[in-house]
Amino acid sequence: MLSQKTIEIIKSTVPVLEVHGTAITKRFYQMMFAKHPELLNIFNHANQKQGRQQTALANAVYAAALYIDKLETILPVVKQIGHKHRSLGVKAEHYPIVGENLLAAIKDVLGDAATDEILQAWAEAYGVIADAFIGVEHEMYEEASGQPGGWGDFREFIVQRKVKESDVITSFYLVPADGQPISSYEPGQYISVKVELPGEEFTHIRQYSLSDAPGNAYYRISVKREDAMQDKPAGKVSVYLSEEVKEGDSLQLSAPAGDFTLQQEDSRPVVLLSGGVGLTPMISMLNTLIKSGTDRPITFIHAAKNGKVHAMRQAVEELAAKHPQLSVHWCYTQPTEQDRLNGAFQKEGYIDLPWLQKVIDTKEASYYFCGPIPFMKTINGALLEWGVPAEDIHFEFFGPAATLA
């Protein structure tokens, strides 16, 4: 337990972290990777370059300082990050390295304002926070390896099938190389894929949502090829998977992880909303609901640029034709002339609240959504404006957590 004095000192640094948090975390990663370049085998290089990882860590440090006297408040965040850490292979021995470099970064950025008293208080606080993460993640490793078909770190899988779903999205059906069973998962969870790219010094790990219902002899992921766009470089791993990996090739996978999962015990109507490749966890949830035989009303809403990049449309429409409790709605932001001729969409432009109120039968439902951050901000804002309770709104960020405010 932290002393009252330590708690007061940590809380006094909250305004400083609000202003300098991202500068501190940016410096932290620079210092840590300079001393421990081997950690680049774990961290997502693209998120580092784009600043998303630094911002996410700054937000986490800020929250820890704000709630240092009641850390149970941020336990859901600890568990969410813990899932990502377990999936990436973060271990207890990494935490002292993080602590040492975080304190050094605080001192480096704040200078004389980071007094010995403040640094000592943060050292104590970090020890408590790290212990919470280590404890949670230890349980997650035990759970992942202890369940039927489970494993702890990475396991070799073979690409059994590779299916082009749209101009930019490709599905991979993955089976274990050892021929043994694989663990089940909750719809909405993800796996990590670790690859060694030709000419690259470090391995790359990316997390991809599982895009089918559990209970199969394979895992399916559906990967969007991230092409270069303006000042944003192409996604190294997504391009490699889409263009280089072939059926019969092997990939290293972590066991399923994640806390964005379908609440299957809920009997109310469910609304699944997605934008772009954010449809992958929604497809898993949809297939699970249908497979379960539930009579819950399901509304499936997907936004895409146009029909060329719209993945899995036919599969969803086939389900809707067979299951009257499922209603399906498409929104295209830039439909092609062919899309117009085919009447391929119900709304042109962007999803908004008036349209949602037309296509969703009842506000009293459970809502799940995923997609690009602007899409997620729009959906979250619309649902809150409509008066949907926050506890009925569930979402997942692809990559480091951000804010929807």
Side-chain angles (χ1 to χ4, degrees):
M1 296 293 291
L2 296 173
S3 68
Q4 186 59 37
K5 182 179 180 182
T6 296
I7 289 172
E8 290 172 359
I9 293 172
I10 295 298
K11 279 188 166 289
S12 74
T13 65
V14 167
V16 178
L17 293 174
E18 192 170 13
V19 176
H20 299 286
T22 302
I24 291 170
T25 54
K26 182 178 180 180
R27 185 66 182 128
F28 154 74
Y29 282 116
Q30 292 171 343
M31 299 173 82
M32 184 174 70
F33 292 143
K35 294 178 183 177
H36 297 276
E38 72 278 4
L39 292 180
L40 286 167
N41 287 308
I42 296 177
F43 286 85
N44 185 316
H45 308 181
N47 287 334
Q48 289 291 323
K49 290 179 181 178
Q50 295 168 18
R52 292 189 63 189
Q53 194 70 57
Q54 294 90 326
T55 301
L57 178 59
N59 291 339
V61 172
Y62 175 80
L66 189 63
Y67 297 104
I68 194 65
D69 53 342
K70 41 187 175 181
L71 287 175
E72 67 278 3
T73 303
I74 63 169
L75 189 59
V77 176
V78 172
K79 288 184 175 179
Q80 183 182 68
I81 297 173
H83 275 286
K84 291 184 179 292
H85 283 178
R86 199 278 296 158
S87 180
L88 293 169
V90 173
K91 299 293 179 61
E93 57 263 30
H94 295 132
Y95 279 90
I97 297 172
V98 171
E100 173 191 341
N101 287 281
L102 182 59
L103 290 173
I106 291 173
K107 179 63 177 176
D108 190 69
V109 172
L110 300 184
D112 292 341
T115 63
D116 290 343
E117 187 178 49
I118 286 176
L119 292 174
Q120 180 57 38
W122 262 106
E124 292 179 30
Y126 176 80
V128 170
I129 296 166
D131 284 345
F133 274 99
I134 291 169
V136 165
E137 289 162 18
H138 175 75
E139 291 180 4
M140 289 178 175
Y141 276 106
E142 292 287 311
E143 181 181 357
S145 59
Q147 64 175 296
W151 68 100
D153 292 305
F154 284 85
R155 181 177 172 186
E156 184 182 4
F157 277 69
I158 304 298
V159 179
Q160 184 183 60
R161 279 203 299 148
K162 183 178 178 181
V163 179
K164 190 173 178 63
E165 305 283 6
S166 76
D167 282 2
V168 295
I169 294 177
T170 301
S171 286
F172 298 81
Y173 291 75
L174 307 166
V175 296
D178 58 15
Q180 297 300 306
I182 55 175
S183 57
S184 188
Y185 57 91
E186 294 295 319
Q189 289 192 305
Y190 54 82
I191 55 174
S192 286
V193 178
K194 179 165 65 174
V195 298
E196 295 184 6
L197 301 180
E200 295 277 338
E201 180 180 0
F202 301 104
T203 58
H204 292 257
I205 302 177
R206 295 293 185 272
Q207 293 169 326
Y208 296 107
S209 294
L210 292 154
S211 62
D212 204 351
N216 297 302
Y218 59 82
Y219 292 141
R220 185 177 74 177
I221 58 173
S222 302
V223 178
K224 179 189 176 188
R225 187 186 69 245
E226 297 290 350
D227 297 317
M229 187 173 57
Q230 296 174 348
D231 59 346
K232 184 180 177 183
K236 290 182 178 181
V237 176
S238 68
V239 170
Y240 174 75
L241 291 173
S242 299
E243 298 184 356
E244 303 297 331
V245 172
K246 301 175 178 61
E247 292 180 355
D249 288 350
S250 65
L251 295 170
Q252 295 291 320
L253 269 57
S254 69
D259 63 347
F260 174 63
T261 57
L262 178 68
Q263 297 178 358
Q264 298 187 62
E265 70 282 356
D266 192 345
S267 60
R268 295 175 301 161
V270 58
V271 181
L272 307 175
L273 302 112
S274 55
V277 76
L279 95 163
T280 52
M282 301 299 117
I283 291 289
S284 178
M285 293 181 183
L286 173 62
N287 288 354
T288 300
L289 286 163
I290 296 299
K291 193 174 179 179
S292 73
T294 182
D295 58 359
R296 291 173 67 181
I298 307 166
T299 304
F300 192 94
I301 300 170
H302 179 63
K305 184 177 180 180
N306 53 49
K308 292 182 178 181
V309 297
H310 184 174
M312 302 178 180
R313 172 180 180 137
Q314 182 178 346
V316 173
E317 291 183 339
E318 287 176 356
L319 288 178
K322 296 176 183 177
H323 301 277
Q325 79 272 29
L326 170 61
S327 63
V328 174
H329 310 274
W330 311 129
C331 175
Y332 286 179
T333 56
Q334 297 178 34
T336 64
E337 286 306 312
Q338 193 62 49
D339 292 332
R340 296 183 194 281
L341 288 172
N342 294 341
F345 55 94
Q346 287 75 50
K347 178 171 174 56
E348 180 175 352
Y350 294 94
I351 293 175
D352 54 31
L353 179 55
W355 185 69
L356 287 177
Q357 290 172 325
K358 289 179 182 177
V359 299
I360 298 174
D361 289 336
T362 174
K363 181 176 72 174
E364 309 303 320
S366 188
Y367 296 81
Y368 298 82
F369 61 89
C370 186
I373 290 177
F375 167 86
M376 294 175 65
K377 287 183 176 180
T378 296
I379 298 300
N380 190 59
L383 295 179
L384 292 175
E385 182 183 344
W386 196 7
V388 176
E391 59 267 25
D392 290 336
I393 300 174
H394 314 279
F395 53 86
E396 170 90 319
F397 290 102
F398 283 168
T403 176
L404 294 184

